[in-house]
Amino acid sequence: MAPAAEYAFEEGATKALGLVGVWSANLQYTQEVNLEPGKYLLQVPVYNAGGANAVSANKIGADGTFADTKEFPVGQWTVLNVEFTVESAKDVTLSLGYAAANSGSAAMPHLFLESASLYSGDEAISAAKTMAEARCTALNAVIALDKAKETKLAALNALVPGEGLFQYDAQAINLAKEAVVLAETVEAVEAVAMPTPTQPDPEKQYTFQLKDGGKYMAVNEGIKLADKAYPFSFVAVEGGWALKSGDEYVANTGGNAWTMSMTADPYAWAISALGEGYYTLAKASNKAQLVGINDNAEAVTSRSEERRVGKECRS
């Protein structure tokens, strides 16, 4: 994907040449131009939309002289300056492209070139390099700031507002979003603290009930499903919360990701609110992996209601 219009290097630019080379292929466009004797600069701003691997050889240059740059930061502009001297009037070959490494398109740079400018004379060359470098630095700062805001806002939008366990105060979420939007630097965005969810009371006991089916999580020679509520307590540990029953803790120690058991040592769970009072337990070391309560891969979801997760057990 080409850089968005607001990130165009040349004001008003709407088109760009795209370059993606793969599997050691040589991708190169050339054009002959007749030049008088003198010093010249071929300047090419390049935007990399994806692929962080280094190219095998840079083919952006003129008269057999090419840029040295082989690595292009993803989502950033890089200005390539190639200086060369013509001793006598002649046809000079201008070149755009690169020789790919032995990798596929996902790994190789996806370069977009809006323009290729040719300057002559010391004064013009010096001015062009200074202006392009300033433009590149400023534009990359804007791109980095927008990306940082996008990432932080996405994280804030993923939080579940509410008053239940592991939910977040809606006002705190909105204030954090406002701070992100108003931030003027990447550092300021990163400094915006994420709200803290409502924490369980270690002195109270809780029950876990499946979202579908109504059965409860219980301890009976390991983790089982039962018709009767079974009390658990939360213990704060590194990486999340441990669930304790008696002297043992709920753990994921089986041969597959859906097997839960009891162990003598605390086992960290990352507990997330899903909204509507439901929750999931996930391995703290791999938060993307939901851990269920049996081999049928039922997600452990619980409800924040009377005698359920989020409420104190009562007799």
Side-chain angles (χ1 to χ4, degrees), residues 14-33:
T14 58
K15 297 182 180 180
L17 171 65
L19 301 174
V20 183
V22 298
W23 306 121
S24 303
N26 187 55
L27 178 63
Q28 188 175 17
Y29 295 88
T30 62
Q31 180 176 330
E32 297 287 328
V33 294

Side-chain angles (χ1 to χ4, degrees), residues 150-170:
E150 178 185 348
T151 301
K152 197 63 168 277
L153 288 174
L156 288 167
N157 286 330
L159 303 181
V160 177
E163 298 180 356
L165 284 181
F166 303 105
Q167 295 181 343
Y168 297 78
D169 179 72

